[in-house]
Amino acid sequence: GRGFLKVLTHVTASRELPVGFAYGLDANSPDAEPRMRAAMNGLMDLIGVPKDHPARSMPLPKWQAPAISK
């Protein structure tokens, strides 16, 4: 679906190495929050966070991309 993947790299004189990445979904999409919550709950399942932990129902952070100047 619509979204983005951002890759952080480290550039040296001889090469460029990936060192991290982030992903996101279009906040205006009606299925963005349920998809993100499902992904985060899956991650919490993998690391053993209890099903009743408050982090599972916390509001999701939203980031607004800056306007693109032309």
Side-chain angles (χ1 to χ4, degrees), residues 15-28:
R15 60 186 174 172
E16 183 175 14
L17 301 168
V19 294
F21 71 94
Y23 67 94
L25 301 170
D26 180 359
N28 296 317

Side-chain angles (χ1 to χ4, degrees), residues 6-20:
K6 183 174 184 176
V7 179
L8 174 66
T9 62
H10 175 73
V11 179
T12 69
S14 61
R15 60 186 174 172
E16 183 175 14
L17 301 168
V19 294

Side-chain angles (χ1 to χ4, degrees), residues 26-64:
D26 180 359
N28 296 317
S29 174
D31 67 339
E33 185 167 344
R35 288 177 60 198
M36 185 60 72
R37 192 164 297 283
M40 293 305 297
N41 281 332
L43 178 61
M44 286 189 260
D45 289 343
L46 284 174
I47 62 174
V49 175
K51 296 286 186 190
D52 62 347
H53 194 281
R56 291 183 180 265
S57 59
M58 291 175 69
L60 295 172
K62 292 187 179 176
W63 176 78
Q64 180 64 45

